[in-house]
Amino acid sequence: MNAGSSVEITHDERVRETLLALRSLTDSLDRMHGALKDAMGMNGTDLAALRMMVIREERGESVSPHDVARHLHISTASTTKLLDRLTAAGFVERHRHPHDRRSRIVVLTKSLRQTFGEHFGTRMSPIRDVVEQYNDQDLAVIGRFLSELSQRIEDTQ
Protein backbone atom coordinates (compact mmCIF):
# COMPACT_ATOMS: atom_id res chain seq x y z
CA MET A 1 0.00 0.00 0.00
CA ASN A 2 1.34 3.44 -0.90
CA ALA A 3 1.83 6.02 1.83
CA GLY A 4 -0.61 8.40 0.14
CA SER A 5 -3.38 5.91 -0.60
CA SER A 6 -6.35 5.28 1.61
CA VAL A 7 -8.65 2.31 1.87
CA GLU A 8 -12.37 2.96 1.74
CA ILE A 9 -14.38 1.14 4.36
CA THR A 10 -17.75 -0.02 3.13
CA HIS A 11 -20.98 0.68 4.97
CA ASP A 12 -21.36 -3.05 5.72
CA GLU A 13 -17.87 -3.10 7.26
CA ARG A 14 -18.69 -0.01 9.34
CA VAL A 15 -21.93 -1.67 10.53
CA ARG A 16 -20.00 -4.82 11.47
CA GLU A 17 -17.39 -2.76 13.37
CA THR A 18 -20.17 -0.98 15.25
CA LEU A 19 -21.92 -4.23 16.15
CA LEU A 20 -18.63 -5.70 17.39
CA ALA A 21 -18.02 -2.57 19.46
CA LEU A 22 -21.52 -2.88 20.95
CA ARG A 23 -20.87 -6.51 21.83
CA SER A 24 -17.65 -5.50 23.54
CA LEU A 25 -19.45 -2.68 25.39
CA THR A 26 -22.22 -4.97 26.64
CA ASP A 27 -19.60 -7.44 27.86
CA SER A 28 -17.79 -4.65 29.73
CA LEU A 29 -21.06 -3.40 31.23
CA ASP A 30 -21.99 -6.94 32.31
CA ARG A 31 -18.66 -7.26 34.10
CA MET A 32 -19.04 -3.80 35.66
CA HIS A 33 -22.52 -4.69 36.93
CA GLY A 34 -21.17 -8.01 38.25
CA ALA A 35 -18.51 -6.16 40.24
CA LEU A 36 -21.11 -3.65 41.45
CA LYS A 37 -23.41 -6.49 42.52
CA ASP A 38 -20.58 -8.09 44.47
CA ALA A 39 -19.49 -4.79 46.05
CA MET A 40 -23.06 -4.11 47.20
CA GLY A 41 -23.56 -7.69 48.41
CA MET A 42 -26.66 -8.44 46.35
CA ASN A 43 -27.77 -10.72 43.56
CA GLY A 44 -28.09 -9.73 39.91
CA THR A 45 -31.87 -9.55 39.89
CA ASP A 46 -31.91 -7.16 42.86
CA LEU A 47 -29.34 -4.93 41.17
CA ALA A 48 -31.27 -5.00 37.89
CA ALA A 49 -34.42 -3.92 39.77
CA LEU A 50 -32.57 -1.05 41.43
CA ARG A 51 -31.05 0.10 38.13
CA MET A 52 -34.50 0.09 36.53
CA MET A 53 -35.91 2.12 39.44
CA VAL A 54 -33.07 4.66 39.23
CA ILE A 55 -33.67 5.11 35.50
CA ARG A 56 -37.44 5.49 35.97
CA GLU A 57 -36.92 7.95 38.83
CA GLU A 58 -34.62 10.05 36.63
CA ARG A 59 -37.43 10.15 34.04
CA GLY A 60 -39.91 11.24 36.72
CA GLU A 61 -41.82 7.97 36.49
CA SER A 62 -43.18 6.04 39.46
CA VAL A 63 -42.55 2.29 39.76
CA SER A 64 -45.10 -0.24 40.91
CA PRO A 65 -44.33 -3.80 42.00
CA HIS A 66 -46.03 -4.90 38.77
CA ASP A 67 -43.56 -2.73 36.78
CA VAL A 68 -40.67 -4.50 38.51
CA ALA A 69 -42.13 -7.94 37.75
CA ARG A 70 -42.72 -7.07 34.11
CA HIS A 71 -39.26 -5.52 33.68
CA LEU A 72 -37.48 -8.53 35.18
CA HIS A 73 -39.84 -11.16 33.72
CA ILE A 74 -40.49 -12.67 37.15
CA SER A 75 -43.63 -13.69 39.00
CA THR A 76 -45.45 -11.48 41.48
CA ALA A 77 -44.40 -13.86 44.28
CA SER A 78 -40.72 -13.48 43.28
CA THR A 79 -41.21 -9.73 43.05
CA THR A 80 -42.62 -9.63 46.58
CA LYS A 81 -39.57 -11.52 47.90
CA LEU A 82 -37.22 -9.22 45.95
CA LEU A 83 -38.91 -6.09 47.31
CA ASP A 84 -38.85 -7.56 50.83
CA ARG A 85 -35.05 -8.03 50.51
CA LEU A 86 -34.53 -4.51 49.16
CA THR A 87 -36.77 -3.05 51.88
CA ALA A 88 -34.92 -4.98 54.62
CA ALA A 89 -31.60 -3.68 53.21
CA GLY A 90 -32.96 -0.13 53.46
CA PHE A 91 -32.79 0.45 49.68
CA VAL A 92 -36.50 0.90 48.90
CA GLU A 93 -39.75 1.79 50.59
CA ARG A 94 -43.29 0.94 49.55
CA HIS A 95 -45.76 3.82 49.50
CA ARG A 96 -49.34 4.26 48.50
CA HIS A 97 -49.73 5.44 44.93
CA PRO A 98 -50.41 9.20 44.99
CA HIS A 99 -53.37 8.92 42.56
CA ASP A 100 -54.66 5.39 43.17
CA ARG A 101 -54.83 4.64 46.90
CA ARG A 102 -55.38 0.92 46.20
CA SER A 103 -52.00 0.63 44.46
CA ARG A 104 -48.46 0.78 45.79
CA ILE A 105 -45.31 2.33 44.39
CA VAL A 106 -41.72 1.51 45.20
CA VAL A 107 -39.48 4.45 46.11
CA LEU A 108 -35.70 4.53 46.39
CA THR A 109 -34.27 5.60 49.75
CA LYS A 110 -31.52 8.10 50.55
CA SER A 111 -29.46 5.16 51.77
CA LEU A 112 -29.67 3.51 48.36
CA ARG A 113 -28.75 6.71 46.55
CA GLN A 114 -25.72 7.12 48.79
CA THR A 115 -24.61 3.48 48.52
CA PHE A 116 -25.29 3.34 44.79
CA GLY A 117 -23.48 6.65 44.29
CA GLU A 118 -20.41 5.42 46.18
CA HIS A 119 -20.13 2.17 44.25
CA PHE A 120 -21.41 3.28 40.85
CA GLY A 121 -19.78 6.71 40.90
CA THR A 122 -16.26 5.31 40.91
CA ARG A 123 -17.15 3.07 37.98
CA MET A 124 -18.72 5.97 36.06
CA SER A 125 -15.68 8.24 36.28
CA PRO A 126 -13.71 6.60 33.43
CA ILE A 127 -16.88 6.46 31.33
CA ARG A 128 -17.44 10.18 31.89
CA ASP A 129 -13.81 10.85 30.90
CA VAL A 130 -14.45 9.21 27.51
CA VAL A 131 -17.80 10.98 26.98
CA GLU A 132 -16.30 14.39 27.74
CA GLN A 133 -13.86 14.00 24.84
CA TYR A 134 -16.67 14.46 22.32
CA ASN A 135 -18.20 17.73 21.18
CA ASP A 136 -21.88 18.58 21.59
CA GLN A 137 -22.77 17.59 18.02
CA ASP A 138 -21.10 14.18 18.40
CA LEU A 139 -22.80 13.65 21.77
CA ALA A 140 -26.19 14.45 20.27
CA VAL A 141 -25.67 11.75 17.62
CA ILE A 142 -24.31 9.25 20.15
CA GLY A 143 -27.17 9.98 22.54
CA ARG A 144 -29.78 9.58 19.81
CA PHE A 145 -28.15 6.33 18.66
CA LEU A 146 -28.08 4.85 22.16
CA SER A 147 -31.66 5.97 22.91
CA GLU A 148 -33.00 4.50 19.66
CA LEU A 149 -31.07 1.28 20.24
CA SER A 150 -32.40 1.00 23.81
CA GLN A 151 -35.95 1.60 22.63
CA ARG A 152 -35.69 -1.02 19.89
CA ILE A 153 -34.38 -3.55 22.39
CA GLU A 154 -37.21 -2.67 24.82
CA ASP A 155 -39.77 -3.03 22.02
CA THR A 156 -38.64 -6.62 21.37
CA GLN A 157 -39.03 -7.73 25.00
Side-chain angles (χ1 to χ4, degrees), residues 87-140:
T87 300
F91 293 149
V92 301
E93 296 174 345
R94 295 173 177 130
H95 295 273
R96 290 193 187 279
H97 192 285
H99 306 296
D100 181 359
R101 299 306 235 162
R102 297 168 295 167
S103 299
R104 304 289 246 167
I105 59 171
V106 184
V107 179
L108 301 172
T109 64
K110 277 186 176 182
S111 174
L112 177 271
R113 285 187 193 88
Q114 181 178 0
T115 302
F116 211 65
E118 289 169 6
H119 293 289
F120 200 66
T122 59
R123 289 165 175 82
M124 284 302 294
S125 181
I127 296 170
R128 185 177 188 88
D129 292 345
V130 171
V131 171
E132 287 179 345
Q133 295 176 39
Y134 291 87
N135 66 39
D136 290 346
Q137 186 177 4
D138 291 340
L139 291 173

Side-chain angles (χ1 to χ4, degrees), residues 4-122:
S5 67
S6 65
V7 176
E8 289 288 321
I9 296 177
T10 68
H11 181 71
D12 285 345
E13 291 169 328
R14 202 57 91 191
V15 167
R16 185 174 188 288
E17 285 178 358
T18 302
L19 292 173
L20 289 173
L22 281 169
R23 183 171 63 190
S24 179
L25 173 64
T26 57
D27 181 60
S28 294
L29 289 171
D30 284 347
R31 286 183 283 119
M32 181 182 77
H33 290 135
L36 182 61
K37 167 186 69 78
D38 292 344
M40 292 182 69
M42 62 177 48
N43 68 45
T45 305
D46 292 2
L47 181 61
L50 291 173
R51 283 193 344 248
M52 180 271 279
M53 287 183 242
V54 167
I55 291 167
R56 298 267 179 105
E57 182 181 88
E58 288 173 350
R59 293 179 188 163
E61 301 171 5
S62 60
V63 176
S64 70
H66 180 72
D67 294 332
V68 174
R70 187 174 49 232
H71 180 80
L72 298 174
H73 303 284
I74 61 176
S75 69
T76 54
S78 294
T79 302
T80 299
K81 289 177 185 176
L82 178 149
L83 293 175
D84 287 346
R85 283 191 306 273
L86 295 178
T87 300
F91 293 149
V92 301
E93 296 174 345
R94 295 173 177 130
H95 295 273
R96 290 193 187 279
H97 192 285
H99 306 296
D100 181 359
R101 299 306 235 162
R102 297 168 295 167
S103 299
R104 304 289 246 167
I105 59 171
V106 184
V107 179
L108 301 172
T109 64
K110 277 186 176 182
S111 174
L112 177 271
R113 285 187 193 88
Q114 181 178 0
T115 302
F116 211 65
E118 289 169 6
H119 293 289
F120 200 66
T122 59

